[in-house]
Amino acid sequence: MARGDAGRGGGLVALTFCLLAARGELPWPPETTVELSCGAGPLQVILGPEQAAVLDCGLGASGPPTSITWSKDGGSLPEHDHLRLLPNGSLWLSQPLAPDSSEEASPGNSELIEGNYSCLAHGPLGAVASQAAVVKLATLAGFSLHPESQVVEENGTARFECHIEGLPAPVITWEKDQGPVPEEPRAPAHLIGDLSPFPRLIILPNGVLQILDIQESDTGSYRCVATNSVRQRFSQEALLSVAPRGSLASTRGQDVVIVAAPENTTVVSGQSVVMECVASADPTPFVSWVRQDGKPISTDVIVLGRTNLLISSAQPRHSGVYVCRANKPRTRDFATAAAELRVLAAPALSQAPEALSRTRASTARFVCRAAGEPRPALRWLHDGAPLRPNGRVKVQGGGGSLVITQIGLQDAGYYQCVAENSAGTACAAAPLAVVVREGLPSAPTRVTATPLSSSTVLVAWERPELHSEQIIGFSLHYQKARGMDNVEYQFAVNNDTTELQVRDLEPNTDYEFYVVAYSQLGASRTSTPALVHTLDDVPSAAPQLSLSSPNPLDIRVAWLPLPPSLSNGQVVKYKIEYGLGKEDQVFSTEVPGNETQFTLSSLQPNKVYRVRISAGTGAGYGTPSQWMQHRTPSMHNQSHVPFAPAELKVRARMESLVVSWQPPPHPAQISGYKLYWREVGAEEEEANGESPPGGRGDQAWDVGPVRLKKKVKQYELTQLAPGRLYEVKLVAFNKHEDGYAAVWKGKTEKAPTPDLPIQRGPPLPPAHVHAESNSSTSIWLRWKKPDFTTVKIVNYTVRFSPWGLRNASLVTYYTSSGEDILIGGLKPFTKYEFAVQSHGVDMDGPFGSVVERSTLPDRPSTPPSDLRLSPLTPSTVRLHWCPPTEPNGEIVEYLILYSNNHTQPEHQWTLLTTEGNIFSAEVHGLESDTRYFFKMGARTEVGPGPFSGLQDVITLQEKLSDSLDVHSVTGIIVGVCLGLLCLLACMCAGLRRSPHREALPGLSSTANAGNPALYSRARLGPPSPPAAHELESLVHPRPQDWSPPPSDIEDRAEVHSLMGGGASDCRGHSKRKISWAQPGGPSWAGSWAGCELPQAGTMPSLTRALLPPAGTGQTLLLQALVYDAIKVSVLGRRGRKGEKGLCACEE
């Protein structure tokens, strides 16, 4: 069963077997199931002929839904035989065929089935909306591009191309002479030299056919074959003719030409990409590829054929501009072509919202993070419907954070985070459960809101009916009732009152109020909201005027209506005042509130008039505008002077003015317009416009004249300052002179500032406190003035300390007169907490809420600590260490440097690295009995820190057990056997020469029997497990001045000669006197074991010092020879390794 998450971002659910079934390899499946849920999408479902699909709808891990609602293209499902609901809530659909029983559906039926399907799954906690499933019917259109015939010289390159659209995407194959093309014939060996053969015929994934090194056998007709689940189509045939080499004049000595250049391509991550490049020249050019940004081409990009790049699975790192360069051999001629590859990545949620459970009136925060290319946009759903932010519900951080305050039962349900970009969508859902405790008070009742003025409302309520005696206080909440993303405000109210006057509201505005009661157990439900409309106030500004004269006796006054933010109610009338120049006499006229222009008539020609206007609501007239002056035209010489443009209107914006007008009377006489504007200075503004118009001349205008054509009727002045007073003048001109001016004066819109309730008393803490990491040792702290306060702010105090610090002596305070400060001298990669306090005149406010921020990471300041070295084997050393005391960041890896020569430069030392969460390592491959020097460092994402001091360790010596291997054991066995044979031969020879000798002299049986105290026990060293090395012998004690009798010396010499060792002694031990059984002294076996074995030179033999006294018998001699044979085998192996022994024997 195909699942909805089978492909990311537009994954194709081709109903599994489309391609195979189209090729006849598998039968069509009768039905395929696709599950829709909140996951990756959108899904694409393609229905083939006689195929059906079942769309399931689920809640994901939350269990089966209780009910399901389906929609198509955002509306209800149409009624159709091929589209029906199943009893389990799933949706079944199939492809309807045309009446003529063709494999393709009729256009009318296709529209009924094709579309975007989605479902809404309802569960006990709420509803979840699924991702969309895009259902399309399989089709195969005709060829939009057919291959074209061509003539190519031998050894040249032919290229055929065809284009066709279909669902699913058709598979392109090629036929030659209506038969399969040859299966990738190889290039002749004489054409490729020492290189291995390569395919001559290449079919690119995009359907292009390339034939390299054209031969006479390639002549024929070629056609393109497109196949998908619907049908198979054949393109027109194209003839390939092969001409002898050099016979075509167009290619003889041809310069380099790129026949097929790469094209700009955009794909989704995971798709394959082919960058095609085919070049032509005589001789054949060499083609190479580079990236325009200089980066190396990824190793997973392969060359397809000779000149094409193939990326089997494109990733965002492959994005870039690729340049194909074709060089003509043995020349400097070349040609290039470039194309951009853009790899999109479907959204992936790096942090999904988590399920929450909150009590009533508390706050919930959902966090959602997504990555993708391009950067995905985030939106939120609540129970499957788009979430609309309001005063309690706010979307912050670019959509990545959803905050819900004063939670109520209506906020329970599923919240979905949906990330979208052009490559696809990703979705995650999390439920919010609202917990209601027993014994809470009921909601306050009979909430009323009565407007007292244009800015004050009296809110009253009654106490709750249930558990009223447990109430400890109320909270009053209000916000604007209209508009989106309104801010909600609240006031805490004592338990001894049930009314509150809310001030500083906006006139002529709808507000919504509700009340919540609190007890020790928690909050009640919110009360029923009360709506109120504040009273009108007089307008806070006057309309902005424009004046023009259609004739010498009239002045046309025009204005724009006031916006609601300035009208403070419904404007019901305007009052226009005017008079001559500086005369005191002023006339006035009243105009209805629905008018936007008025003509002052019966005026005097060629006179300066001053005009102003004021707007009025039911509360009265507001402040009038500034006086504007205008000169009426003269009655004489009117034939050549154009009148002023009519209906001059200026729409003020925050940083621009949009000027519009109509042509003056007799527009055929004008050639165009001249536009001037200037900013009115503060002094002139205070003079209330008493200076005559144009009194300062055209030179006083900041900009102008801007010449405009006579057909132009609108122009926008940009790059203006908000809230400033500007004057605009527009004149029409002809070939003789400029006409009369139309003038406008007004202010641009002010920058938006929130009109919030005014706080009385000490200043509140600054608003919007934000900390931003600047470096590893500094943090920027920024804030804004308190949102609502009437106290003049003098300066601010910043308090900061390391996060979680409880030592008050380490808290630091800074003072700032501005609204930002750079705090330095901090520790790298350390979290700090900040709070800001406002100071008024002789008045200090409280510190605001704490803001946390960490400094950026840096290189470690100290090396790893407590480095310990211990040898494990002759070739292995183990290291233990602890993290640096000042890591300044997260340790990503540890660096181990070691060498047996500490005087070498660091770059010649051996470097090993381990992961940052590992605190021990073993170094292998060392030499035995060698001093090594080690030092360690640590690395963060910024870089490596200092290395520790040198520490040395000596590897273990190689023991005998370490040296034994298969060859050694074989040598030991052979040596023992040879030693036994030699011993038997020597014993036989000795017995024949001295038959009278039965035992070695020195100890007789009589002496032994009669003197038991003179016997001792000796152990042949070293003490190894085999019992053959332990000897029981009767040893005669001797004094220090004892010397063996001559007979003993002769006998020892004889025995020594039996071993074939000659008279040579160990150089290192030839002077050592070994006593056999001195009281308190070492035994002869211990002395033997303490002698270092020779490791090179001639084969050693048993020395005189090792010979026991006479009478010990042949057992002792046999065991000594066996041990000597073992030593010979081991030492021979060491000699082969070239090791120098601690002592060498004299020859």
Side-chain angles (χ1 to χ4, degrees):
M1 182 171 67
R3 290 295 176 187
D5 56 356
R8 288 174 48 191
L12 175 64
V13 182
L15 299 182
T16 313
F17 297 98
C18 290
L19 178 59
L20 296 178
R23 295 177 175 177
E25 300 175 12
L26 287 175
W28 278 104
E31 190 174 277
T32 302
T33 302
V34 180
E35 182 175 346
L36 274 65
S37 63
C38 180
L43 304 175
Q44 188 172 12
V45 180
I46 299 177
L47 287 178
E50 301 180 1
Q51 189 179 23
V54 175
L55 304 183
D56 285 342
C57 185
L59 281 169
S62 302
T66 57
S67 63
I68 298 173
T69 304
W70 288 93
S71 62
K72 177 178 180 289
D73 297 329
S76 59
L77 290 177
E79 295 183 2
H80 195 273
D81 294 339
H82 295 271
L83 183 68
R84 63 176 181 266
L85 289 174
L86 300 180
N88 64 351
S90 299
L91 181 64
W92 180 90
L93 41 83
S94 64
Q95 179 180 17
L97 299 179
D100 56 0
S101 299
S102 64
E103 292 182 339
E104 294 190 26
S106 62
N109 290 334
S110 298
E111 295 179 357
L112 292 175
I113 299 299
E114 289 185 335
N116 296 340
Y117 292 82
S118 61
C119 66
L120 189 64
H122 299 267
L125 298 179
V128 176
S130 74
Q131 296 280 47
V134 182
V135 177
K136 294 185 178 181
L137 304 182
T139 60
L140 185 62
F143 282 91
S144 58
L145 177 65
H146 294 268
E148 298 180 354
S149 300
Q150 50 191 293
V151 179
V152 182
E153 289 186 353
E154 283 185 319
N155 298 331
T157 300
R159 180 181 181 275
F160 293 103
E161 182 180 9
C162 65
H163 285 169
I164 189 172
E165 297 292 337
L167 283 176
V171 177
I172 302 298
T173 57
W174 288 86
E175 292 183 352
K176 176 187 176 185
D177 298 330
Q178 298 187 2
V181 295
E183 186 174 347
E184 294 196 358
R186 302 285 172 166
H190 71 277
L191 293 178
I192 59 177
D194 297 333
L195 300 177
S196 60
F198 49 81
R200 284 198 316 113
L201 187 143
I202 303 166
I203 300 178
L204 301 182
N206 59 358
V208 173
L209 172 64
Q210 295 179 355
I211 306 176
L212 311 179
D213 302 321
I214 290 292
Q215 303 173 8
E216 184 65 31
S217 60
D218 296 324
T219 301
S221 60
Y222 292 81
R223 68 177 180 180
C224 178
V225 183
T227 307
N228 74 353
S229 59
V230 178
R231 61 189 304 170
Q232 189 178 67
R233 291 188 183 274
F234 299 90
S235 70
Q236 298 176 3
E237 295 188 351
L239 182 62
L240 173 62
S241 302
V242 180
R245 187 176 180 85
S247 62
L248 298 179
S250 58
T251 60
R252 194 179 304 119
Q254 177 187 10
D255 293 335
V256 182
V257 176
I258 294 182
V259 179
E263 298 179 351
N264 294 336
T265 307
T266 300
V267 296
V268 177
S269 177
Q271 295 181 346
S272 62
V273 181
V274 174
M275 306 287 282
E276 184 184 9
C277 184
V278 178
S280 176
D282 186 19
T284 303
F286 297 106
V287 175
S288 60
W289 288 87
V290 295
R291 287 179 60 113
Q292 193 176 65
D293 55 10
K295 297 180 180 179
I297 295 179
S298 300
T299 56
D300 55 351
V301 179
I302 64 175
V303 177
L304 184 61
R306 296 183 195 172
T307 61
N308 312 292
L309 288 186
L310 172 63
I311 306 175
S312 57
S313 179
Q315 301 298 327
R317 56 186 170 84
H318 293 123
S319 297
V321 177
Y322 291 79
V323 180
C324 164
R325 178 185 174 110
N327 290 78
K328 189 174 182 179
R330 297 182 296 277
T331 68
R332 295 184 178 180
D333 295 337
F334 67 91
T336 60
E340 181 180 7
L341 172 63
R342 187 184 181 197
V343 182
L344 306 181
L349 295 181
S350 57
Q351 182 177 358
E354 299 179 351
L356 298 177
S357 178
R358 294 289 185 269
T359 58
R360 193 163 56 194
S362 61
T363 300
R365 179 185 295 271
F366 292 100
V367 179
C368 184
R369 299 285 185 269
E373 178 58 38
R375 183 178 180 180
L378 299 178
R379 59 185 178 91
W380 291 86
L381 307 177
H382 178 212
D383 283 341
L387 185 67
R388 294 187 175 183
N390 54 44
R392 295 187 307 105
V393 181
K394 303 179 182 67
V395 177
Q396 302 171 345
S401 180
L402 173 64
V403 180
I404 308 172
T405 58
Q406 287 295 317
I407 292 176
L409 292 177
Q410 70 276 14
D411 298 315
Y414 279 97
Y415 288 85
Q416 293 175 251
C417 171
V418 182
E420 298 174 311
N421 67 5
S422 55
T425 61
C427 174
L432 172 62
V434 180
V435 180
V436 179
R437 298 176 180 175
E438 295 291 337
L440 292 175
S442 59
T445 60
R446 299 184 181 180
V447 179
T448 60
T450 305
L452 301 180
S453 68
S454 61
S455 61
T456 304
V457 170
L458 175 63
V459 183
W461 62 91
E462 293 186 1
R463 300 176 66 87
E465 298 176 353
L466 297 178
H467 306 289
S468 176
E469 69 283 355
Q470 301 177 5
I471 293 176
I472 60 176
F474 300 92
S475 64
L476 173 63
H477 305 256
Y478 72 96
Q479 64 177 353
K480 292 181 180 179
R482 301 181 184 274
M484 298 292 294
D485 199 18
N486 294 323
V487 180
E488 182 180 274
Y489 308 102
Q490 71 178 60
F491 291 99
V493 184
N494 293 330
N495 187 31
D496 56 359
T497 183
T498 56
E499 65 177 23
L500 181 70
Q501 285 190 14
V502 181
R503 306 178 186 277
D504 303 312
L505 303 178
E506 295 182 7
N508 188 41
T509 304
D510 292 324
Y511 283 92
E512 179 184 83
F513 296 84
Y514 67 90
V515 184
V516 178
Y518 285 85
S519 69
Q520 295 287 358
L521 298 177
S524 70
R525 291 182 292 106
T526 60
S527 68
T528 303
L531 298 177
V532 66
H533 185 88
T534 54
L535 302 178
D536 290 353
D537 200 353
V538 297
S540 56
Q544 298 179 349
L545 284 178
S546 64
L547 307 176
S548 60
S549 291
N551 56 67
L553 302 178
D554 295 339
I555 295 179
R556 179 173 295 163
V557 182
W559 61 91
L560 293 175
L562 288 174
S565 59
L566 298 177
S567 63
N568 295 336
Q570 178 68 36
V571 176
V572 295
K573 53 189 175 181
Y574 295 98
K575 181 170 65 174
I576 300 175
E577 299 173 277
Y578 64 97
L580 270 174
K582 295 184 179 181
E583 294 182 3
D584 295 334
Q585 187 177 10
V586 174
F587 303 93
S588 65
T589 182
E590 196 170 278
V591 180
N594 58 349
E595 298 289 341
T596 57
Q597 65 179 19
F598 184 79
T599 300
L600 302 176
S601 57
S602 303
L603 305 179
Q604 302 180 26
N606 198 24
K607 294 290 184 178
V608 175
Y609 282 86
R610 52 178 182 162
V611 183
R612 68 179 183 181
I613 189 173
S614 56
T617 63
Y621 282 110
T623 303
S625 67
Q626 290 186 328
W627 288 107
M628 284 189 65
Q629 298 189 2
H630 177 77
R631 182 182 294 274
T632 55
S634 172
M635 293 291 293
H636 308 288
N637 300 325
Q638 292 296 314
S639 58
H640 301 297
V641 180
F643 284 100
E647 300 182 20
L648 175 64
K649 296 182 180 180
V650 178
R651 184 172 297 277
R653 297 176 178 172
M654 193 163 57
E655 296 180 349
S656 65
L657 297 174
V658 180
V659 185
S660 62
W661 63 91
Q662 293 296 326
H666 312 293
Q669 300 178 359
I670 67 172
S671 303
Y673 301 96
K674 293 181 181 180
L675 180 64
Y676 305 81
W677 66 264
R678 68 186 181 94
E679 181 179 349
V680 179
E683 296 180 357
E684 186 177 352
E685 184 175 354
E686 293 177 358
N688 201 15
E690 294 298 333
S691 60
R696 297 193 300 170
D698 291 345
Q699 296 82 358
W701 295 93
D702 296 340
V703 177
V706 177
R707 292 179 175 268
L708 304 172
K709 296 181 179 180
K710 62 183 298 183
K711 294 183 178 180
V712 176
K713 298 180 182 179
Q714 181 173 304
Y715 189 82
E716 183 175 7
L717 306 176
T718 58
Q719 298 182 353
L720 307 182
R724 300 290 182 86
L725 181 63
Y726 290 91
E727 184 176 6
V728 178
K729 182 177 75 171
L730 180 68
V731 298
F733 69 92
N734 57 24
K735 59 182 179 179
H736 300 288
E737 56 187 324
D738 294 347
Y740 293 98
V743 182
W744 173 92
K745 182 186 291 186
K747 289 186 177 182
T748 52
E749 291 184 356
K750 293 183 179 181
T753 55
D755 295 329
L756 304 180
I758 298 177
Q759 179 265 344
R760 310 293 181 182
L764 292 181
H768 311 294
V769 180
H770 173 68
E772 182 178 359
S773 302
N774 183 63
S775 68
S776 61
T777 59
S778 62
I779 292 178
W780 270 110
L781 191 65
R782 296 182 172 90
W783 60 88
K784 294 185 181 298
K785 291 178 59 177
D787 287 338
F788 44 96
T789 181
T790 57
V791 178
K792 181 180 180 181
I793 303 298
V794 179
N795 55 22
Y796 303 90
T797 294
V798 176
R799 181 189 68 195
F800 72 94
S801 62
W803 180 80
L805 182 67
R806 295 296 179 262
N807 188 353
S809 63
L810 298 180
V811 177
T812 306
Y813 297 86
Y814 283 163
T815 301
S816 173
S817 58
E819 296 181 359
D820 59 3
I821 187 173
L822 180 63
I823 301 175
L826 308 179
K827 292 184 179 181
F829 201 63
T830 303
K831 182 186 286 188
Y832 287 85
E833 55 186 25
F834 304 85
V836 187
Q837 176 187 30
S838 302
H839 297 281
V841 179
D842 299 328
M843 193 178 300
D844 298 331
F847 279 96
S849 58
V850 173
V851 176
E852 299 174 356
R853 192 69 178 183
S854 296
T855 51
L856 298 177
D858 201 352
R859 302 170 184 264
S861 301
T862 58
S865 59
D866 197 19
L867 174 61
R868 290 167 290 168
L869 308 175
S870 57
L872 293 181
T873 67
S875 62
T876 305
V877 170
R878 173 171 290 170
L879 293 83
H880 293 270
W881 65 88
C882 295
T885 56
E886 296 180 5
N888 296 343
E890 182 178 355
I891 302 298
V892 297
E893 67 177 4
Y894 287 98
L895 313 174
I896 303 173
L897 284 177
Y898 70 92
S899 174
N900 57 6
N901 183 2
H902 65 86
T903 61
Q904 287 181 331
E906 279 190 359
H907 68 272
Q908 295 183 3
W909 290 42
T910 304
L911 172 65
L912 298 178
T913 61
T914 63
E915 297 180 359
N917 57 352
I918 296 177
F919 305 103
S920 66
E922 292 182 4
V923 180
H924 300 274
L926 306 179
E927 297 180 3
S928 63
D929 196 23
T930 305
R931 181 185 298 272
Y932 282 90
F933 300 89
F934 288 80
K935 54 184 177 180
M936 284 196 64
R939 180 195 297 273
T940 64
E941 61 182 359
V942 179
F947 281 88
S948 63
L950 285 179
Q951 292 199 33
D952 62 302
V953 65
I954 299 177
T955 55
L956 299 177
Q957 287 186 350
E958 194 170 18
K959 298 180 181 179
L960 178 62
S961 59
D962 298 329
S963 305
L964 291 179
D965 53 14
V966 176
H967 301 289
S968 302
V969 174
T970 304
I972 291 171
I973 296 173
V974 173
V976 169
C977 295
L978 292 177
L980 291 175
L981 292 175
C982 292
L983 177 61
L984 293 176
C986 293
M987 292 175 61
C988 293
L991 292 175
R992 285 198 301 270
R993 289 189 298 170
S994 304
H996 63 281
R997 197 179 285 180
E998 296 179 359
L1000 290 172
L1003 289 175
S1004 65
S1005 60
T1006 304
N1008 295 344
N1011 233 345
L1014 299 177
Y1015 305 107
S1016 67
R1017 181 171 303 198
R1019 182 180 300 273
L1020 182 65
S1024 56
H1029 290 291
E1030 185 173 341
L1031 302 180
E1032 291 255 357
S1033 61
L1034 297 175
V1035 182
H1036 198 294
R1038 63 186 185 278
Q1040 293 181 358
D1041 56 350
W1042 177 87
S1043 61
S1047 60
D1048 289 348
I1049 298 176
E1050 293 173 359
D1051 291 341
R1052 293 179 188 178
E1054 182 178 352
V1055 174
H1056 191 233
S1057 66
L1058 292 176
M1059 300 177 191
S1064 62
D1065 291 334
C1066 181
R1067 182 179 305 171
H1069 304 278
S1070 59
K1071 298 181 180 180
R1072 178 180 297 179
K1073 295 181 179 180
I1074 303 177
S1075 61
W1076 291 95
Q1078 280 186 342
S1083 67
W1084 69 273
S1087 301
W1088 184 10
C1091 178
E1092 292 290 337
L1093 299 178
Q1095 300 185 18
T1098 60
M1099 183 178 297
S1101 61
L1102 188 64
T1103 63
R1104 290 193 184 98
L1106 301 179
L1107 288 176
T1112 55
Q1114 297 169 352
T1115 302
L1116 176 60
L1117 297 176
L1118 176 60
Q1119 292 173 347
L1121 287 171
V1122 171
Y1123 191 76
D1124 195 52
I1126 295 175
K1127 291 193 296 179
V1128 169
S1129 175
V1130 173
L1131 296 177
R1133 176 174 169 267
R1134 290 186 178 179
R1136 288 191 300 272
K1137 290 184 178 181
E1139 297 179 353
K1140 186 175 182 181
L1142 295 178
C1143 63
C1145 294
E1146 297 176 355
E1147 297 182 356

